Amino acid sequence: MVFAETRPADLDSRFGLRDLLGLRGRSAWLFLLILEATIALYMVPYFGAAPQWAAFLGMALMLSAAAVVVAMPVDPLPLPVALFAASAGPIATALVLVTSSPEHAHHSVWSAFASSYVFAVLVLRGRVRTAWAGVLAVAAVLVLASLDSQIHSRAMIGSLVPIGTVAAISVFAAVMRPMQRSLSLLREEAMLRAAAEATMAAADSERTRQLARLDRVARDILERIADGAELSAAEREECRLLEAELRDGLRAPQLVTEELSDAARGARSRGVEVVLLDDGGFAGVPEWVRKRVIDAATRELDATNTGSVTVRVLPLGRRVLATVLANAPDHDRRTEIDTDGKVTVMD
């Protein structure tokens, strides 16, 4: 069995570290809830250190950044989204420094703690460089703040927290990346193998069905032919009708029902040329619409004694689902059935 070659970048986009860590579905929403709660707790001191509008704006920036880095379904994150998440921390930190009084400026370190979690998730989502750019921006803001002796020590500590957090997550991501690629390859091969097995199972099922049908409708006459018996005119006519019926099963399997097959056999025995064609338009169509097509074709076949009848199911995407065209020496009649089951007869 041959498997299609898949590049590592393609695998990373389909099966990233968040898949490896189970950050999809309910687990992702639980993780987001915990992350938002943690960031909110870190940002609470803002409300006693800065004006209310600045505190709300800083918290909104950090919470929205956390939301997009977790909830965005694309890996790696789109660059505009990653840049927004990376800039939220520095902006929120600078906002406190600008709007708060000197004795409360040390609260700016709390946004650095909160932003370190956002940067860590950025690394997991494949935006390592953007995360480090955000870390350096936060550190730069805090280093500038450290020029004030009142917040020197806290600012320096605050600048180190995002660096340590993102460094640890970056090392973790680098270690896990080979395992992720190996699991991605295994997953890809398993999917291809399952698809191939499903295809073979479907083909085997169809072959079994066709053999059972052949055994049911043609076994007796085939045994007579195999025994070398001389066939009568009636038996040769029976062979002709059976051959046409078996051909219908290959060319139009979705049209072959007991009702339609009996009508086609009857029309052929009266000398009518019958052609059944199936181009796949029944896929996704309700069963009652398919039944309406078969009923229309059956009525036309029962009513025709000369000429030809062509029943065709059109390809997907057409407004008209199927057509029944009856050609007789004295008149032609065309019946159309659309995807809504509406039957239109044109004489």
Side-chain angles (χ1 to χ4, degrees):
M1 188 179 299
V2 179
F3 297 108
E5 182 180 355
T6 308
R7 293 177 299 172
D10 296 332
L11 293 172
D12 291 347
S13 65
R14 287 185 240 168
F15 188 77
L17 283 175
R18 65 175 182 148
D19 297 271
L20 192 62
L21 299 174
L23 296 181
R24 285 192 184 273
R26 293 183 178 179
S27 299
W29 289 111
L30 178 60
F31 176 79
L32 176 59
L33 179 63
I34 295 173
L35 180 62
E36 295 276 10
T38 303
I39 290 174
L41 289 175
Y42 274 121
M43 301 298 288
V44 164
Y46 269 26
F47 289 89
Q52 292 293 310
W53 67 268
F56 275 114
L57 181 57
M59 179 176 285
L61 277 171
M62 294 305 301
L63 293 179
S64 57
V68 296
V69 296
V70 175
M72 184 66 65
V74 181
D75 278 323
L77 284 174
L79 186 58
V81 175
L83 290 175
F84 166 73
S87 62
I91 293 175
T93 303
L95 192 62
V96 172
L97 289 173
V98 171
T99 59
S100 61
S101 58
E103 61 271 16
H104 293 117
H106 63 275
H107 286 294
S108 61
V109 299
W110 294 112
S111 65
F113 295 162
S115 64
S116 66
Y117 294 104
V118 176
F119 298 148
V121 180
L122 267 179
V123 173
L124 295 178
R125 300 300 303 274
R127 288 296 180 181
V128 181
R129 294 179 182 177
T130 309
W132 276 105
V135 169
L136 295 178
V138 170
V141 172
L142 291 175
V143 168
L144 291 175
S146 69
L147 299 177
D148 186 338
S149 59
Q150 295 184 13
I151 60 172
H152 175 77
S153 60
R154 292 193 179 188
M156 292 303 296
I157 294 173
S159 65
L160 294 176
V161 169
I163 295 175
T165 302
V166 176
I169 295 297
S170 298
V171 172
F172 168 79
V175 171
M176 295 300 291
R177 200 67 75 175
M179 180 184 297
Q180 170 209 343
R181 291 195 177 96
S182 298
L183 290 175
S184 298
L185 286 170
L186 291 174
R187 185 185 190 192
E188 189 79 8
E189 292 180 358
M191 291 173 62
L192 291 172
R193 188 178 295 110
E197 290 175 353
T199 301
M200 289 189 294
D204 184 66
S205 175
E206 179 63 17
R207 183 168 53 253
T208 301
R209 188 181 71 83
Q210 292 290 351
L211 287 174
R213 181 167 174 264
L214 178 63
D215 183 73
R216 183 178 68 255
V217 302
R219 182 182 183 88
D220 294 340
I221 197 69
L222 289 176
E223 286 180 346
R224 283 184 55 77
I225 294 173
D227 292 340
E230 184 176 351
L231 300 180
S232 65
E235 288 173 329
R236 287 195 295 271
E237 176 65 12
E238 179 70 15
C239 289
R240 185 182 72 85
L241 295 176
L242 282 175
E243 186 270 340
E245 187 174 335
L246 292 173
R247 191 186 302 114
D248 290 342
L250 297 175
R251 293 193 303 192
Q254 293 296 316
L255 285 172
V256 175
T257 63
E258 184 176 353
E259 177 186 9
L260 187 57
S261 295
D262 290 344
R265 173 184 280 261
R268 286 180 176 127
S269 67
R270 297 192 298 272
V272 178
E273 181 184 356
V274 179
V275 178
L276 304 184
L277 299 172
D278 182 4
D279 290 330
F282 278 148
V285 173
E287 182 62 27
W288 69 269
V289 178
R290 175 175 174 266
K291 180 68 166 56
R292 186 161 292 181
V293 173
I294 292 172
D295 289 343
T298 301
R299 285 194 302 269
E300 194 63 66
L301 288 168
D302 288 338
T304 303
N305 295 312
T306 57
S308 65
V309 175
T310 301
V311 182
R312 183 189 177 196
V313 179
L314 300 178
L316 282 171
R318 305 285 185 87
R319 181 188 62 82
V320 176
L321 173 63
T323 60
V324 182
L325 180 61
N327 293 317
D330 54 344
H331 73 281
D332 294 335
R333 181 165 50 249
R334 178 185 176 90
T335 304
E336 294 183 351
I337 304 93
D338 63 19
T339 53
D340 295 327
K342 180 182 178 181
V343 179
T344 304
V345 179
M346 294 170 283
D347 289 317

